[in-house]
Amino acid sequence: MADRPAAARRPVDLAAVAWPRRTERLLLRRAVPGDAAALWEVRRHPSAHEWLTAGVPDRASYAAELARHERLEHLLVLELDGVVVGDLMLRITDAWAQAEVGEQALAVQAELGWVLHPDHAGRGLATEAAAELLRICFEDLGLRRVTAECFADNTASWRIMERLGMRRETHAVADALHRSGRWLDSYGYAVLAEEWHAARR
């Protein structure tokens, strides 16, 4: 049998990366079930909870959610001076492709996400952490494209995307239902590997 294309042999989870990783101020590591209490403290804060995909009604429910393997496989913990101050998502995904070239589109891109405890906002920590995620995506994992999405009203999040050099590709009007009952606009951002490398040259 012929070898599968290189793209099809790419790692499809974060186990291929050596953890933890350090930036100037932060430590990034894989999340474990024992992180539930600390992460719940971050996520239950109203200004963080406002934009999360799913709410965290109580610590026990969040601990049960975090214990699921599929939840942990793309979740990273963000530490500052040994204290958990947020978490990050790095989800490796397939690109869309026509059937004849489908294998070449397997696990070639990633979606990023982040949440930071509001007490630590305004210091560039989320940008620092997300920049390291981009480096991991393009240098360590060899991915070709990275995306991120947010509600258009989540100004802090899309400003991070722009500071990272990501390009706003979509502005969808009233497409996302917020838990408040409001239909909100959303933004989609992306950056290609060649763009990321060129910006560093």
Side-chain angles (χ1 to χ4, degrees):
M1 180 184 295
D3 285 344
R4 297 175 73 192
R9 295 194 301 268
R10 293 187 192 278
V12 293
D13 61 46
L14 300 185
V17 177
W19 303 100
R21 292 300 178 90
R22 294 188 180 275
T23 65
E24 181 180 351
R25 296 175 290 177
L26 302 167
L27 181 138
L28 285 65
R29 62 171 175 81
R30 300 289 302 274
V32 297
D35 291 318
L39 293 179
W40 184 75
E41 289 296 334
V42 172
R43 289 169 162 260
R44 74 186 185 98
H45 195 286
S47 61
H49 176 263
E50 173 79 5
W51 306 117
L52 293 176
T53 300
V56 287
D58 56 66
R59 184 178 300 181
S61 298
Y62 183 68
E65 169 71 15
L66 193 65
R68 294 190 299 115
H69 171 72
E70 59 269 26
R71 183 77 174 89
L72 288 171
E73 66 186 9
H74 54 259
L75 189 66
L76 302 169
V77 167
L78 182 59
E79 291 187 5
L80 175 67
D81 299 327
V83 176
V84 173
V85 296
D87 65 70
L88 308 154
M89 178 190 74
L90 199 172
R91 188 195 313 270
I92 300 170
T93 64
D94 302 337
W96 185 89
Q98 292 178 309
E100 297 86 346
V101 290
E103 283 202 338
Q104 298 173 50
L106 298 177
V108 296
Q109 61 188 32
E111 178 186 4
L112 303 186
W114 45 78
V115 58
L116 184 72
H117 193 290
D119 287 353
H120 299 279
R123 301 167 57 189
L125 295 175
T127 302
E128 183 176 323
E132 178 64 9
L133 287 190
L134 279 182
R135 194 198 64 72
I136 289 168
C137 286
F138 293 132
E139 291 188 353
D140 296 6
L141 296 172
L143 303 179
R144 64 171 301 274
R145 175 178 162 90
V146 172
T147 66
E149 297 181 348
C150 68
F151 287 109
D153 288 355
N154 188 356
T155 305
S157 194
W158 61 256
R159 282 183 174 164
I160 290 171
M161 299 171 198
E162 294 188 349
R163 283 195 291 271
L164 294 172
M166 302 181 82
R167 169 185 56 257
R168 185 182 297 175
E169 293 188 334
T170 61
H171 177 180
V173 177
D175 73 317
L177 182 59
H178 189 269
R179 63 177 57 89
S180 65
R182 297 173 296 147
W183 287 95
L184 301 180
D185 293 6
S186 66
Y187 290 154
Y189 281 75
V191 62
L192 296 171
E194 55 263 37
E195 296 170 328
W196 185 85
H197 286 291
R200 272 132 201 86
R201 288 195 294 269

